[in-house]
Amino acid sequence: MERRTYLAIVGTVGATSLTGCTGQSGSDESDDPDTQPESSTSDESSDSASGTDTEQTSVADDEETCETIEESSQELLIDRSYELPSEGSTVESSFAIEEEDRIAFDIDSRNQQEIDLTIESPIGGSEFEGTVTEFSNEVGFSTSGDGRLIMTNVGTVTNERRTEIWSDTDTLSAGEYYSGWITLNQGDSVDYFIRQLGDGARPKLVIENENRDILEEEAVAAVIDDEFTAPDDGEYYFRWENTATLTSGNWRWEFEAVSQDVVPADVSVTVERKFTEETEVCE
């Protein structure tokens, strides 16, 4: 069978429009209006390439751009109040430190009682020492660990307290006396007042320690008005007497113990850690 005849048979089976191709040359096939141009193959290839480019562009648009930035941060370490009731009362509080931290302190003795303040670093050195009623500052630390805050009531602010010891009016015969013992702390005082009423003998006052050593002696006078301050802790003896040999005396006396009560230190404390953190930000 010749080649042309074989093509005609195939054309008859595949499509009736190809039956006229038997015996025609290959160049005549391009004149058939039903024949699709061969350029369609290249168009499909072009379309395929274009679709790939679009997909790649979409992937590129979805890529994130990231950078690392430093942000300032704060952490509250201590926020409370402390009461130091008497002179010498001490309180300690610790706080955690990271290397290169800055610690902000805000300390206020709200009733203006002075305190001794010490701020210690983790290695034990003092970053601050002083007597203050308020302290507001930032302290830098070069090592990590626990720092310490130490506060002590200095006791420079006091309230005077008076307590009556003896108070009376009486007539003392010649050679007669009144006396009494009182316990005093060092620095405590006794405020005394003895006054002659009308005519008669005048009073005299003697003050002794527990060893009966005379510490103070007020001469005979119509009015005795003064104050005794205890040089040490201990017992003290007071005796007011009529030293006249014949004459009685009518007197009025008042003795008051005077002490200075230390004002408690009511201290507000805020300690805040300030540091920087690195954060990755992506767009």
Side-chain angles (χ1 to χ4, degrees), residues 15-257:
T16 56
S17 61
L18 295 179
T19 56
C21 293
T22 303
Q24 297 180 4
S25 64
S27 60
D28 294 336
E29 293 176 358
S30 61
D31 297 332
D32 189 341
D34 295 330
T35 303
Q36 295 296 325
E38 295 181 355
S39 61
S40 62
T41 303
S42 61
D43 292 341
E44 292 176 359
S45 175
S46 175
D47 293 342
S48 176
S50 175
T52 302
D53 291 342
T54 302
E55 182 179 353
Q56 290 176 348
T57 302
S58 176
V59 171
D61 290 343
D62 291 341
E63 289 183 356
E64 292 183 332
T65 301
C66 298
E67 62 176 335
T68 300
I69 63 173
E70 287 190 348
E71 291 185 326
S72 297
S73 298
Q74 297 179 353
E75 179 185 3
L76 190 61
L77 303 178
I78 302 174
D79 184 16
R80 60 169 299 180
S81 295
Y82 300 89
E83 184 178 75
L84 309 176
S86 59
E87 183 178 2
S89 299
T90 299
V91 66
E92 298 183 9
S93 187
S94 61
F95 51 92
I97 305 168
E98 297 293 337
E99 189 174 349
E100 305 303 328
D101 277 355
R102 293 196 65 80
I103 306 298
F105 297 90
D106 189 3
I107 299 169
D108 181 21
S109 181
R110 290 179 289 204
N111 53 359
Q112 296 301 299
Q113 176 63 280
E114 290 188 333
I115 59 172
D116 278 344
L117 173 65
T118 301
I119 300 172
E120 288 188 353
S121 72
I123 58 176
S126 295
E127 299 292 335
F128 175 84
E129 286 185 273
T131 300
V132 300
T133 56
E134 58 182 27
F135 177 83
S136 183
N137 204 352
E138 289 188 11
V139 178
F141 293 84
S142 58
T143 56
S144 300
D146 287 340
R148 281 202 312 164
L149 188 67
I150 305 170
M151 297 175 293
T152 303
N153 186 341
V154 177
T156 54
V157 180
T158 60
N159 288 328
E160 182 179 273
R161 179 164 59 91
R162 289 179 169 265
T163 305
E164 184 181 283
I165 308 171
W166 306 292
S167 176
D168 203 356
T169 300
D170 201 0
T171 299
L172 281 73
S173 302
E176 192 176 11
Y177 65 86
Y178 274 88
S179 65
W181 288 90
I182 183 173
T183 302
L184 299 174
N185 295 321
Q186 183 179 9
D188 287 350
S189 300
V190 174
D191 189 359
Y192 50 83
F193 173 78
I194 307 173
R195 181 166 63 92
Q196 175 189 0
L197 301 176
D199 297 331
R202 295 170 297 172
K204 176 183 179 179
L205 176 67
V206 177
I207 302 172
E208 302 174 350
N209 62 17
E210 55 193 27
N211 296 323
R212 305 307 298 266
D213 300 322
I214 295 176
L215 302 180
E216 198 166 309
E217 186 172 3
E218 299 279 1
V220 173
V223 176
I224 299 174
D225 186 3
D226 207 342
E227 185 177 79
F228 168 77
T229 300
D232 302 292
D233 295 348
E235 298 285 330
Y236 293 89
Y237 178 70
F238 289 74
R239 184 179 72 252
W240 52 107
E241 57 184 325
N242 181 355
T243 58
T245 56
L246 298 173
T247 309
S248 61
N250 186 26
W251 305 336
R252 171 67 186 172
W253 59 84
E254 297 175 4
F255 291 79
E256 289 183 322

